[in-house]
């Protein structure tokens, strides 16, 4: 006699998740749209409300949905951003699945291409933003966070200007991981990233020199990367000696 294996609740939830995700990606639900309530979704899928609730939780964690409380609350479709990709990379880094030397290596691969493309596509508006970001770097920062915001601004501008959204997503993720490392060890900003390190890159971009921009960025990535590796090593040694 043929016997079937019982279907696990998690499998039901996964199928509901995939259908809802597909509906969002295909545009059946637009950004800002409110999904039907759990009870109605459970009836449409012919599953339990528990399965629907689990699916909604998974999609919320993945950045597709957001939940609001109150009379006008409910579950709404969100605008997908690069943030969740960055968070995924940060989680891998915190779990020690990604090392600082690996981070530096990938930055030296990705960022020169970002700079090269930016030199080809920069316009008057983006050029002005780059000049302003350089000027801001020269002003002493009162806090580490303020310094990080200033020193990463050029990278974010170049990533946006480069015109490749996948490269932009990678660059934002690399910046997010770098910021996380720096915040943990709390270094002396002037030693780690002195003002002016970005000037050769920006000058080449503004001169519409793609090869020069790529080479300047490569040198910067390696120089800063060396500082970052030394800083992290010193932090680990200090932590070990203090018995923390």
């Amino acid at each position: 006699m043929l016997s079937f294996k019982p279907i696990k609740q998690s499998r039901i939830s996964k199928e509901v998740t995939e259908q809802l995700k597909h509906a969002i990606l295909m545009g059946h639900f637009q950004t800002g749209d409110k999904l039907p309530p759990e009870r109605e979704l459970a009836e449409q899928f012919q599953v339990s409300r528990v399965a629907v609730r689990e699916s909604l939780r998974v999609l919320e964690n993945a950045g597709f949905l957001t939940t609001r409380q109150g009379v006008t609350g409910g579950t709404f479709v969100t605008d997908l951003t690069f943030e969740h990709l960055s968070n995924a990379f940060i989680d891998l880094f915190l779990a020690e699945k990604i090392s600082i030397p690996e981070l530096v290596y990938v930055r030296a691969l990705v960022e020169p291409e970002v700079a090269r493309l930016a030199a080809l596509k920069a316009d008057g508006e983006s050029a002005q933003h780059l000049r302003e970001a350089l000027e801001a770097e020269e002003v002493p920062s009162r806090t580490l966070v303020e310094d990080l915001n200033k020193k990463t601004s050029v990278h974010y501008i170049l990533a946006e200007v480069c015109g490749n959204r996948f490269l932009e997503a990678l660059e934002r993720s690399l910046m997010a991981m770098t910021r996380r490392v720096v915040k943990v060890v709390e270094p002396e900003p002037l030693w780690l990233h002195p003002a002016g390190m970005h000037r050769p890159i920006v000058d080449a971009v503004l001169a519409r020199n793609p090869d020069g921009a790529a080479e300047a960025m490569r040198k910067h990535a390696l120089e800063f990367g060396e500082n970052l590796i030394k800083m992290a090593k010193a932090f680990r040694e200090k932590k070990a000696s203090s018995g923390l």
Side-chain angles (χ1 to χ4, degrees), residues 17-31 33 35 59 62-65 77-81:
T17 301
E18 288 303 314
Q19 287 196 48
L20 285 173
K21 181 178 177 181
H22 182 75
I24 293 170
L25 293 175
M26 291 298 102
H28 299 298
F29 292 107
Q30 301 293 325
T31 299
D33 283 353
L35 292 187
L59 289 171
F64 286 89
L65 302 173
V77 177
T78 59
D79 184 18
L80 287 175
T81 66

Side-chain angles (χ1 to χ4, degrees), residues 18-79:
E18 288 303 314
Q19 287 196 48
L20 285 173
K21 181 178 177 181
H22 182 75
I24 293 170
L25 293 175
M26 291 298 102
H28 299 298
F29 292 107
Q30 301 293 325
T31 299
D33 283 353
K34 182 178 180 179
L35 292 187
E38 284 182 9
R39 175 184 51 76
E40 187 175 327
L41 287 173
E43 291 176 356
Q44 290 185 34
F45 284 111
Q46 297 184 20
V47 299
S48 69
R49 292 181 64 173
V50 173
V52 170
R53 192 173 301 124
E54 174 64 17
S55 298
L56 296 179
R57 184 188 65 79
V58 169
L59 289 171
E60 184 171 5
N61 289 339
F64 286 89
L65 302 173
T66 186
T67 301
R68 302 175 198 162
Q69 304 298 324
V71 179
T72 59
T75 303
F76 297 84
V77 177
T78 59
D79 184 18

Side-chain angles (χ1 to χ4, degrees), residues 100 144 178-188 191-192 227-228 231-236 238:
I100 292 177
L144 178 60
T178 302
R179 289 173 65 102
R180 188 60 181 260
V181 174
V182 174
K183 283 182 180 179
V184 168
V185 298
E186 296 186 335
E188 168 54 48
W191 173 80
L192 177 65
N227 291 346
L228 191 65
M231 175 198 72
K233 182 180 178 182
F235 175 76
R236 286 195 300 269
K238 181 179 178 181

